[in-house]
Amino acid sequence: MLRNFLFVLLLLLQSPLYSEEKGVKTVVLEANEALPYWSKTLPSDGIAGEIVHSLSKASGLYTEIVFKPLSRMIEDDTNNDLGNPAFFMANQDFAAIIPIALYHVSLYYYDSEHKDKIEFKSLSDLKGKKVGVLKGVLIDSSYFQKEGIHFEESYTCESLFKKLKLGRLDMVIEIDLVAQQALKQLYPQEIDNFVQVNMGTASNPIAIMLANESPDAKNIAKKYRQGLKKIIENGTYEKILGKYYLKGTLPDGWFKELERFEQLYKMDEE
């Protein structure tokens, strides 16, 4: 019995839902490196990280963001996560999901001579192609294999675009701002050679996901939502996003779409 208790205690210490810093209780959330949304190399942990810290401060909470590979985050079914709920809900139940931002996904291919023009209308356009994706985002690869679409996974966005340039991949599917950030760092003189194709997909949510195991999760979720409302109303939210979007303008319908996801996940929660 004592041995089992010590083992459970050790697991909790290795991946805490809370930590204590100078007597202050801290909510611990896990994210994967995805510039510019999440990164320990950026001020305030990136664009989404800055939103999390700002709404936490406005709600009277203190939040710590811990970085781990996406695959490890998905495999852990007791942690608090940051990201798209679709990647996590198949493996984990959450006490609360609070959407805080949006992202869009595009298809990329490399064409240094600018002679190819690839369009995406349906999945059939990917048949016979080797498509790169971030490890952990592909939920059911067997379906795509039956359709003749081959996906290759990598742990980082940078690795995907390096393979694309070398011809080891035909295409890459990646989040718009993440791809732009990676290409600026890797190939600043060749950005125009990486052609972006609109996939016609809708917005995807970025959310705070509080595990069922989180103590007082419902109350914390309420405070997070109140904090998010405050920073939207006082202009802090749009100021943060304005650092990353051209001319400081958000994509059309941003707040309407964010509210739609909020209502969707809140209904599931209730």
Side-chain angles (χ1 to χ4, degrees):
M1 181 68 71
L2 179 60
R3 181 186 299 176
N4 290 338
F5 172 77
L6 292 174
F7 178 71
V8 172
L9 180 61
L10 178 61
L11 289 178
L12 291 173
L13 290 173
Q14 288 177 335
S15 183
L17 297 171
Y18 290 97
S19 65
E20 293 286 343
E21 184 70 25
K22 296 181 180 178
V24 178
K25 185 170 285 188
T26 300
V27 184
V28 178
L29 306 176
E30 294 183 5
N32 69 294
E33 283 279 344
L35 288 160
Y37 292 96
W38 311 105
S39 180
K40 57 187 174 184
T41 66
L42 292 177
S44 300
D45 297 321
I47 179 174
E50 189 169 352
I51 291 173
V52 169
H53 292 306
S54 294
L55 69 86
S56 296
K57 184 177 180 180
S59 63
L61 296 170
Y62 184 79
T63 301
E64 178 186 0
I65 298 177
V66 175
F67 289 91
K68 292 184 178 180
L70 180 60
S71 56
R72 283 180 57 194
M73 291 169 57
I74 294 173
E75 290 167 2
D76 187 345
D77 60 3
T78 61
N79 61 332
N80 298 323
D81 293 302
L82 293 166
N84 185 343
F87 299 151
F88 302 88
M89 292 178 70
N91 191 55
Q92 182 175 357
D93 293 324
F94 295 98
I97 297 177
I98 307 101
I100 60 168
L102 306 171
Y103 72 89
H104 297 81
V105 174
S106 289
L107 188 70
Y108 295 85
Y109 65 93
Y110 182 76
D111 181 16
S112 59
E113 298 181 3
H114 300 276
K115 63 180 181 180
D116 295 329
K117 184 172 177 59
I118 298 177
E119 295 183 352
F120 180 86
K121 296 180 180 178
S122 67
L123 281 176
S124 61
D125 294 327
L126 301 181
K127 282 188 176 181
K129 305 290 186 183
K130 186 180 289 186
V131 184
V133 294
L134 194 65
K135 187 171 181 61
V137 306
L138 199 60
I139 298 173
D140 185 8
S141 60
S142 61
Y143 168 80
F144 297 103
Q145 289 175 355
K146 292 177 183 177
E147 294 297 315
I149 304 170
H150 175 69
F151 283 98
E152 181 172 324
E153 297 179 307
S154 289
Y155 282 99
T156 67
C157 175
E158 290 78 8
S159 175
L160 289 174
F161 281 106
K162 287 177 181 178
K163 292 178 181 178
L164 183 63
K165 187 177 186 300
L166 291 172
R168 292 170 55 187
L169 294 173
D170 298 309
M171 301 173 180
V172 165
I173 295 177
E174 186 53 280
I175 299 170
D176 292 357
L177 287 186
V178 174
Q180 292 171 22
Q181 186 75 24
L183 291 174
K184 285 178 183 178
Q185 291 184 343
L186 291 172
Y187 308 111
Q189 307 302 321
E190 283 199 80
I191 290 180
D192 291 341
N193 294 338
F194 292 87
V195 185
Q196 180 178 350
V197 180
N198 183 1
M199 297 184 69
T201 53
S203 301
N204 296 278
I206 297 173
I208 298 171
M209 291 161 275
L210 299 176
N212 280 333
E213 291 77 7
S214 293
D216 204 22
K218 297 293 184 183
N219 185 45
I220 291 172
K222 181 179 179 181
K223 290 183 178 181
Y224 273 148
R225 290 188 175 106
Q226 291 172 342
L228 179 60
K229 183 179 180 181
K230 286 180 182 178
I231 66 171
I232 289 175
E233 290 177 348
N234 65 24
T236 301
Y237 184 93
E238 195 160 356
K239 186 177 179 181
I240 293 170
L241 293 179
K243 300 175 184 178
Y244 297 85
Y245 282 91
L246 295 176
K247 300 179 182 178
T249 58
L250 299 181
D252 293 338
W254 180 283
F255 291 107
K256 183 178 180 180
E257 191 72 350
L258 190 62
E259 175 64 20
R260 182 177 73 84
F261 282 118
E262 166 62 22
Q263 294 302 318
L264 175 67
Y265 289 115
K266 203 168 184 182
M267 283 176 61
D268 288 343
E269 182 181 325
E270 292 170 353

